[in-house]
Amino acid sequence: MTTPVRLAVIYYSSTGFSAEIAKESSEAAQKAGAEVRLLKAAELAPEAAIASNAAWATHAAASAQIPEATPADAEWADAIIFGTPTRFGNISSQLKQFIDTLGGLWMQGKLSDKVYSGFVTTATAHGGQESTLLALYNSIHHFGGLIVSPGFTDPVKFVDGNPYGTSHVDAQGSNPIGDQTRNAARHQAERVVKFAAALKAGLV
């Protein structure tokens, strides 16, 4: 018997939408038998910027107890699901900064042969969802990691419509996370655990 898959769900969220997807993914992975760490990327924005946006300030306070991700978490994990809002068609600076701290592990080969996947939120439809996930996955290629995208492998994906990863349009904060996004997130997390378990069993 192999030990359970160790999954890190590492995300950045300013107003809470990515955080909700991360939580849904974490719970689905736990139900699928994984040991899960739900972690956030450290905030880089100044307090004044956060305070100027009520939703941002509210979420910052509500998520204060969520641990910040460290390179040790990436080393511990058999699989990582990254989550981010899009920023001009790219990942948030907060998540990118965390990824940039992983150079030491990369040089030691400790990021290779792991399973990776990602999810994204945007304010508008076609607001850079696919380009953001593809940009995220560029780093995974450098890691020597194995990308497990959801593809169109379940009926929920034909509703969600994004084969690269779960995505949600928050419509400038007016569109809450609904069943379409939650179903897609659960499917993606279960798929990540499934393939990470198979990989782990095969490498033992």
Side-chain angles (χ1 to χ4, degrees):
M1 292 287 292
T2 59
T3 56
V5 166
R6 295 177 297 193
L7 171 68
V9 179
I10 301 174
Y11 72 95
Y12 173 72
S13 185
S14 54
T15 58
F17 290 93
S18 293
E20 282 197 56
I21 299 173
K23 185 173 184 290
E24 193 74 42
S25 300
S26 297
E27 291 174 353
Q30 287 178 324
K31 289 178 182 177
E35 180 182 352
V36 180
R37 292 182 183 178
L38 177 63
L39 306 158
K40 64 185 180 186
E43 182 60 81
L44 303 177
E47 287 294 332
I50 298 170
S52 70
N53 182 316
W56 196 352
T58 297
H59 177 66
S63 62
Q65 79 285 0
I66 302 294
E68 291 183 356
T70 68
D73 295 307
E75 183 175 4
W76 166 85
D78 301 309
I80 300 175
I81 298 176
F82 287 116
T84 181
T86 190
R87 295 289 186 262
F88 303 112
N90 212 319
I91 68 176
S92 63
S93 58
Q94 289 87 346
L95 183 62
K96 182 61 165 61
Q97 192 273 341
F98 170 73
I99 290 173
D100 287 347
T101 68
L102 302 180
L105 292 178
W106 166 76
M107 289 186 67
Q108 298 174 66
K110 292 184 177 180
L111 300 178
S112 64
D113 302 334
K114 297 176 184 282
V115 166
Y116 297 87
S117 202
F119 64 83
V120 65
T121 60
T122 57
T124 60
H126 313 295
Q129 293 179 342
E130 293 181 357
S131 66
T132 298
L133 289 171
L134 290 171
L136 169 64
Y137 294 158
N138 284 338
S139 296
I140 309 312
H141 292 304
H142 284 259
F143 293 170
L146 303 172
I147 298 169
V148 174
S149 55
F152 292 108
T153 55
D154 188 275
V156 300
K157 291 306 298 176
F158 290 92
V159 179
D160 163 82
N162 189 339
Y164 300 93
T166 299
S167 57
H168 178 76
V169 177
D170 67 51
Q172 304 290 348
S174 64
N175 183 33
I177 303 291
D179 288 343
Q180 172 179 307
T181 302
R182 294 184 189 281
N183 291 339
R186 286 193 291 268
H187 172 64
Q188 184 172 3
E190 290 165 359
R191 185 169 162 83
V192 164
V193 172
K194 172 184 174 182
F195 282 94
L199 180 64
K200 188 170 184 175
L203 290 176
V204 170

